[in-house]
Amino acid sequence: MKKRKWASSLALVSLVAMTALTGCGGTKPASTPASTAPEATKATAQTAKPAQPVKLKLAMWDTKVDFEYWTEKAKEYTKLKPNVTVEVEKVPDNGGQYLKVRLAANDLPDLMYLKPNHMQIYKQALLPLDDLNAAKNNKFPTKIDGKVLGLPLISFSEFVYFHPSIFKELSLEIPKTFPEFITTMDKIKTNGKYTPISIGAKDDWTFYPLMEFGPHILSGDENYLANLAKNPAPFGDSSNFDKVGKAIKVIADKKYAGPDALSVSFDQSTQSFEGKKSAMIALGQWYYPSYMEKVTTDDDLGVFPLPFRESTSSDLSSMMMSDMNIGINKNTKNVEEAKAFLDWMFSKDVYSGLVNKVQQFSTVNGITSDLPFFNKWITANPSKPFVYYGTDEAYAKVSAAAQFDPKKAAQSIFAGKPIDGIEKELNDKWKKAIDSTK
């Protein structure tokens, strides 16, 4: 009998307890007693885990404006995400050699700048970015084997920068064809007061506007590099390479770049132009911020397209390329944080500040650059944009196997090495490279 009463009492207690629990779980009370609220908050704080510290590395070549800009922005990002630190690292060259060493050592940074023609080299080490908003909004995403592996930060054109005051003094007109360009340099040389065109020929890369882009534009074919990889002898007499090579030889022989341009570095060449010792210099849109930093005014600065055409009956084209691809190391230990930072880099406020600071064209849909200087001169000297596609796989393989560097070839021509000998050597290597990559 006692057992039955005990069991009945236990059942009643259990029923009451279940009812109480159901009431608490089903509907939150209108108010929590003041005495229990702080205790609950304290308990939650004690159980919540702090975000793990994350350190990302963003590597870029030594572009002063970019380096300074992203260093400051990295600090801003840490304010938004206190557990994330972004170190901006300088890469000593943009030719890719430094990162190639790190690629071989499996020691690539989390995020990195890459040139378009280097994307094939690093493709196996890069994380696909197709799912990022930054990739979906980019006008020129770099796709390799159907996957987005790089997002270019900027797009830009190539120009000849000149001093309008010198042109006015010497009664010169802006040249519309390449023969006129040669004639303009000859008139400046004859006057004797100024160096016609400043070239830092000691640094082979400074020949890129002429030899890397010249044959491409002359071809009129945006798939020029892809087709070059199918041609067993693309460097012969009357080829586009040959035409530009002979123009470079004229500039060297006539001393249009000065008496000893091969001893002049890139920095010395820009100093000569900025000091108005030289009338012209051929460089990309990226040069403008550097000029402004040193000279502080563009009152005596103008630009026109390098006129790669024989006559005005054909289109005047100017090279337009996207550059500074941002890629993510697929072996980064912090994939999601690297993706989040990359998306943030291309967010409107952050990205607009960059393209306006470097005075280059936007690669992001819906974001435009404020480019008063370039808009003025592009309107005065219009040209047809010629898009540069430098990521073709076949060209990357053949040119690598042939050890072909158009800038080094141009420097050799400038130094006096016979063009026909250079072309024969290049054609021999090129054919062997095509055969070896089949």
Side-chain angles (χ1 to χ4, degrees):
M1 188 67 179
K2 286 182 179 179
K3 287 183 179 179
R4 288 199 191 101
K5 284 184 178 180
W6 180 83
S8 297
S9 299
L10 184 59
L12 180 60
V13 171
S14 298
L15 180 61
V16 171
M18 288 177 64
T19 304
L21 287 171
T22 304
C24 290
T27 306
K28 185 178 179 180
S31 61
T32 304
S35 60
T36 63
E39 294 301 321
T41 303
K42 184 177 179 181
T44 302
Q46 288 175 342
T47 56
K49 290 184 178 180
Q52 292 296 310
V54 171
K55 185 172 183 179
L56 298 174
K57 282 191 177 183
L58 167 63
M60 63 182 64
W61 49 82
D62 190 4
T63 306
K64 183 179 179 182
V65 177
D66 290 58
F67 184 81
E68 291 176 350
Y69 185 82
W70 289 119
T71 298
E72 287 304 310
K73 288 300 172 183
K75 295 174 185 175
E76 290 183 21
Y77 192 73
T78 298
K79 290 179 182 178
L80 294 173
K81 284 191 160 187
N83 68 308
V84 180
T85 302
V86 181
E87 178 188 343
V88 182
E89 177 186 359
K90 277 187 182 179
V91 171
D93 70 279
N94 67 4
Q97 192 57 43
Y98 175 77
L99 283 180
K100 284 179 188 176
V101 173
R102 291 183 63 172
L103 174 66
N106 194 26
D107 183 38
L108 287 175
D110 302 283
L111 303 100
M112 68 208 89
Y113 274 28
L114 292 170
K115 302 292 287 184
N117 57 340
H118 294 158
M119 293 299 295
Q120 288 287 345
I121 297 171
Y122 297 93
K123 68 178 182 179
Q124 300 297 336
L126 296 175
L127 188 75
L129 308 174
D130 303 76
D131 60 328
L132 297 186
N133 287 329
K136 295 169 185 174
N137 292 329
N138 202 287
K139 297 176 187 176
F140 313 110
T142 301
K143 288 189 176 183
I144 305 290
D145 299 334
K147 297 176 182 178
V148 176
L149 298 182
L151 299 178
L153 277 168
I154 49 93
S155 63
F156 62 90
S157 287
E158 292 294 320
F159 295 102
V160 176
Y161 291 82
F162 74 104
H163 293 299
S165 64
I166 295 178
F167 272 48
K168 183 178 180 180
E169 177 187 344
L170 304 183
S171 301
L172 301 173
E173 298 290 333
I174 290 175
K176 303 297 183 184
T177 65
F178 210 86
E180 287 180 9
F181 185 54
I182 295 293
T183 300
T184 299
M185 288 190 284
D186 195 62
K187 288 179 179 179
I188 298 170
K189 174 76 170 11
T190 300
N191 175 267
K193 188 175 179 181
Y194 307 101
T195 299
I197 187 166
S198 196
I199 299 176
K202 182 179 180 180
D203 298 318
D204 58 47
W205 70 265
T206 60
F207 287 99
Y208 84 90
L210 291 167
M211 188 54 91
E212 185 174 357
F213 294 159
H216 202 152
I217 293 177
L218 284 173
S219 74
D221 180 10
E222 291 181 350
N223 294 310
Y224 169 73
L225 296 182
N227 292 326
L228 205 66
K230 303 170 188 174
N231 186 346
F235 304 108
D237 185 50
S238 298
S239 66
N240 291 319
F241 176 91
D242 184 69
K243 291 174 184 176
V244 176
K246 286 174 178 173
I248 289 171
K249 179 173 170 51
V250 169
I251 294 171
D253 291 348
K254 297 285 187 179
K255 307 293 184 184
Y256 290 152
D260 189 18
L262 284 166
S263 67
V264 176
S265 69
F266 167 69
D267 287 341
Q268 290 171 322
S269 72
T270 56
Q271 289 165 11
S272 174
F273 178 72
E274 290 150 10
K276 293 188 183 179
K277 296 177 181 178
S278 302
M280 299 180 288
I281 190 169
L283 292 171
Q285 200 168 332
W286 51 267
Y287 170 61
Y288 178 78
S290 176
Y291 178 92
M292 289 298 292
E293 182 179 356
K294 297 170 187 172
V295 183
T296 71
T297 177
D298 58 17
D299 288 348
D300 193 23
L301 184 69
V303 293
F304 60 86
L306 250 172
F308 284 114
R309 59 177 179 175
E310 290 297 313
S311 73
T312 55
S313 60
S314 56
D315 288 335
L316 176 59
S317 298
S318 61
M319 184 62 77
M320 170 67 74
M321 68 177 294
S322 56
D323 201 0
M324 297 178 183
N325 281 271
I326 304 293
I328 295 178
N329 177 5
K330 74 174 183 181
N331 293 322
T332 176
K333 295 177 182 178
N334 302 289
V335 171
E336 295 308 317
E337 289 294 354
K339 284 183 173 182
F341 180 70
L342 182 54
D343 257 338
W344 183 80
M345 290 177 74
F346 284 92
S347 60
K348 186 173 182 180
D349 290 343
V350 176
Y351 183 72
S352 294
L354 173 72
V355 288
N356 288 333
K357 191 172 184 67
V358 299
Q359 286 292 283
Q360 299 192 50
F361 294 111
S362 165
T363 61
V364 178
N365 289 311
I367 298 178
T368 56
S369 310
D370 184 21
L371 307 173
F373 171 80
F374 288 106
N375 288 340
K376 169 188 172 183
W377 286 98
I378 289 172
T379 300
N381 302 284
S383 60
K384 180 181 176 182
F386 186 91
V387 179
Y388 176 81
Y389 293 118
T391 59
D392 180 72
E393 181 177 15
Y395 175 77
K397 288 181 178 178
V398 173
S399 61
Q403 297 180 312
F404 172 61
D405 186 332
K407 302 176 287 296
K408 290 186 182 302
Q411 188 184 51
S412 294
I413 293 170
F414 197 90
K417 189 173 180 179
I419 295 178
D420 56 353
I422 291 174
E423 290 174 343
K424 183 181 184 307
E425 183 180 346
L426 286 175
N427 278 333
D428 289 345
K429 288 183 177 180
W430 199 259
K431 186 179 185 307
K432 289 177 182 176
I434 289 178
D435 293 341
S436 69
T437 56
K438 285 181 180 178

